[in-house]
Amino acid sequence: MHIFLFSSNNINGDFLKILKKYSIIALGSLIFAISINLFMLPFKIVSGGLSGIATIFYYLFGISTGITVGILDLVILFFALKSLGKAFVMDSMVAILLIPLFLSFTEKLPPLTNDIFIASVFGGVLLGIGIGLAFSQGGTTGGVDILSRMSQKKYPHLSIGILMTILDLMIIGFSMITIGNLNLAFYGILSLVISTTVIDTIISKLNCAKLILAVVTESSKIEQELLTSVNRGVTVISAVGAYSGETKKVLMCVTKPKQAAQFKTMIRASEPNAFIIVTDSEEILGNGFRYYR
């Protein structure tokens, strides 16, 4: 009976994680659609991506943005299957199915502003948030996001933001040729810069952690408290004080920012004179941390 309850708790926990993951991707997809139909599309602002191509097709041929994005996404996803794997494609499928749906539902809604500058700024912010939320869960909003990830496998030193910017600028340039309005291209670039900045900010925040070094004289008690309470691994390094010659222990631990205060409080409670260094860490690779790009 005890084993059954334990297994049920694990199943419930996994279900909640999956539900949270896809709910966030769905929210990002909705925000993405709102940014296009309520800010960008009414002013013919093309900030790149498949949504930019869909905007061009909408004004040239009257084709619904949802239909254009849906068809192009499925074509790209077919080629991504081999390059990025089934797991990535499955995570991407949620947004790829929802975005055309949300685009169709919000297509007839009135714009939220009559000012093209405000539309380009807030449209860019919402676009970045929508894509960033999808990235945070290991998915994408489709289109250029997937093309960027495929390109990153070949050019791993380039960030997703840079690769997306290159592809998006090409689409903006295409819009300038087809729509024939240089001012709209500039507004598109403004929106692109804003959305790219938001995406990179979200990803950098997800990768951010605190590196804590604590010099103590007695480490065993503190180690156990940290392992059980903070649930983070602790590395113990033997050291000697250069001035005093005393044997010391250096506790090294990487935590999420919210856990850093708890970590410091526990160390100070056990050893008030402990020497503690807390610094930001931009990238963490290893067990217990997920790396976002």
Side-chain angles (χ1 to χ4, degrees):
M1 177 65 71
H2 178 70
I3 295 175
F4 174 76
L5 290 174
F6 179 77
S7 299
S8 298
N9 289 335
N10 280 346
I11 292 172
N12 290 336
D14 291 340
F15 174 76
L16 290 176
K17 287 181 180 179
I18 293 172
L19 181 62
K20 178 183 176 182
K21 173 180 180 176
Y22 289 115
S23 295
I24 292 175
I25 293 177
L27 177 61
S29 302
L30 177 60
I31 293 173
F32 181 96
I34 289 173
S35 71
I36 299 302
N37 281 336
L38 277 67
F39 289 95
M40 307 284 203
L41 190 66
F43 296 95
K44 299 183 181 180
I45 299 174
V46 174
S47 63
L50 294 191
S51 60
I53 296 176
T55 300
I56 296 171
F57 282 17
Y58 178 82
Y59 282 103
L60 290 181
F61 310 113
I63 302 174
S64 170
T65 55
I67 293 175
T68 302
V69 170
I71 293 173
L72 293 177
D73 266 335
L74 289 176
V75 172
I76 293 173
L77 204 61
F78 174 79
F79 291 101
L81 184 61
K82 182 178 180 180
S83 175
L84 301 177
K86 292 181 180 179
F88 177 83
V89 169
M90 289 303 296
D91 288 340
S92 300
M93 278 297 294
V94 177
I96 286 174
L97 293 174
L98 286 177
I99 284 179
L101 192 64
F102 288 146
L103 283 171
S104 298
F105 283 162
T106 58
E107 197 170 43
K108 302 300 181 182
L109 294 177
L112 295 181
T113 179
N114 294 321
D115 189 304
I116 189 172
F117 177 76
I118 293 176
S120 63
V121 171
F122 280 89
V125 170
L126 291 176
L127 193 66
I129 292 174
I131 296 174
L133 287 176
F135 280 177
S136 74
Q137 303 305 309
T140 73
T141 52
V144 169
D145 306 358
I146 297 177
L147 291 175
S148 298
R149 286 182 179 267
M150 292 170 65
S151 300
Q152 193 184 50
K153 293 196 71 174
K154 188 174 182 180
Y155 306 103
H157 59 286
L158 296 178
S159 71
I160 287 289
I162 291 175
L163 290 168
M164 287 180 64
T165 299
I166 294 172
L167 294 172
D168 287 335
L169 285 174
M170 294 171 63
I171 295 172
I172 291 174
F174 178 67
S175 75
M176 187 172 61
I177 296 172
T178 54
I179 297 178
N181 191 318
L182 183 60
N183 286 334
L184 290 178
F186 286 141
Y187 281 117
I189 292 173
L190 172 63
S191 185
L192 172 62
V193 170
I194 293 172
S195 64
T196 302
T197 302
V198 172
I199 293 168
D200 282 344
T201 299
I202 291 174
I203 293 176
S204 65
K205 291 296 182 183
L206 291 169
N207 285 326
C208 182
K210 295 289 185 181
L211 172 62
I212 303 176
L213 299 172
V215 182
V216 299
T217 55
E218 180 61 43
S219 64
S220 57
K221 181 181 178 182
I222 301 175
E223 291 168 34
Q224 292 303 316
E225 289 183 355
L226 293 173
L227 289 170
T228 55
S229 300
V230 184
N231 195 28
R232 287 293 177 189
V234 180
T235 299
V236 181
I237 304 171
S238 297
V240 177
Y243 177 76
S244 64
E246 295 181 5
T247 300
K248 303 280 187 178
K249 296 288 186 180
V250 178
L251 305 180
M252 183 177 72
C253 183
V254 179
T255 73
K256 288 297 184 180
K258 292 181 179 179
Q259 295 175 314
Q262 182 183 1
F263 192 107
K264 290 185 292 182
T265 300
M266 293 176 65
I267 294 175
R268 300 286 291 187
S270 298
E271 192 167 323
N273 295 324
F275 185 75
I276 303 173
I277 301 171
V278 181
T279 183
D280 291 328
S281 181
E282 293 184 359
E283 295 181 5
I284 303 295
L285 301 175
N287 187 33
F289 288 86
R290 179 178 176 183
Y291 182 53
Y292 301 88
R293 292 202 63 177

